[in-house]
């Protein structure tokens, strides 16, 4: 499944896309609030400026993904792989990051504290 198909099916009312392969998908400024991408592979995906509040990205692989300026308020990111991800200016209010993985290459907004959000460094 590619980015265009996800957007088309989402627009048609579908919200459930668990374990979908979206490696290097271009979802720039995509409007996908409440989408379920549990366990999806979004390695290297570009989600800059995406609007995904209330989504489920638990256990998703977001390694090296670009989430710059994305709206991820209230998103479930439990045990998600955020190693190497760009989270600059990303809105994470109310997001659950418990057990999400990050490393020294993960980029957060200034003042963001991953330890206080129960994230794990690997």
């Amino acid at each position: 499944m590619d980015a265009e198909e996800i957007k088309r099916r989402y627009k048609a009312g579908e919200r459930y896309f668990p374990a979908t392969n979206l490696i290097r998908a271009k979802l720039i400024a995509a409007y996908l609030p409440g989408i379920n991408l549990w366990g999806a592979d979004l390695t290297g995906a570009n989600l800059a400026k995406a609007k995904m509040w209330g989504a489920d990205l638990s256990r998703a692989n977001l390694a090296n993904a670009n989430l710059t300026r994305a709206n991820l308020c209230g998103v479930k990111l439990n045990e998600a792989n955020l190693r190497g991800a760009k989270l600059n200016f990303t809105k994470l209010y109310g997001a659950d990051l418990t057990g999400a993985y990050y490393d020294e290459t993960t980029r957060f907004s200034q003042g963001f504290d991953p330890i206080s959000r129960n994230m794990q460094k690997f």
Side-chain angles (χ1 to χ4, degrees):
M1 188 176 312
D2 64 10
E4 292 308 311
E5 185 176 354
I6 286 279
K7 289 189 274 187
R8 181 183 56 74
R9 288 169 63 177
Y10 181 92
K11 191 174 183 178
E14 195 172 342
R15 299 291 183 268
Y16 190 67
F17 304 95
T20 301
N21 181 345
L22 290 166
I23 295 172
R24 290 185 288 285
K26 290 183 174 70
L27 290 163
I28 301 162
Y31 183 81
L32 302 167
I35 194 168
N36 185 324
L37 289 168
W38 184 97
D41 192 348
L42 291 147
T43 303
N46 192 342
L47 295 152
K49 299 181 183 177
K51 291 160 183 64
M52 300 177 71
W53 56 83
D56 188 350
L57 294 168
S58 300
R59 295 192 173 194
N61 186 355
L62 290 152
N64 300 310
N66 182 1
L67 296 156
T68 303
R69 296 190 186 278
N71 185 334
L72 302 180
C73 294
V75 170
K76 294 178 187 172
L77 284 158
N78 312 80
E79 299 178 24
N81 178 4
L82 293 167
R83 288 179 262 198
K86 295 181 182 102
L87 295 153
N88 307 82
F89 305 105
T90 302
K91 293 178 183 172
L92 290 165
Y93 309 109
D96 186 352
L97 292 150
T98 303
Y101 303 99
Y102 70 101
D103 63 15
E104 63 281 342
T105 64
T106 305
R107 297 292 164 243
F108 296 105
S109 294
Q110 186 173 350
F112 182 85
D113 178 20
I115 294 168
S116 71
R117 302 297 290 273
N118 299 313
M119 295 179 73
Q120 299 180 38
K121 187 171 184 179
F122 273 86

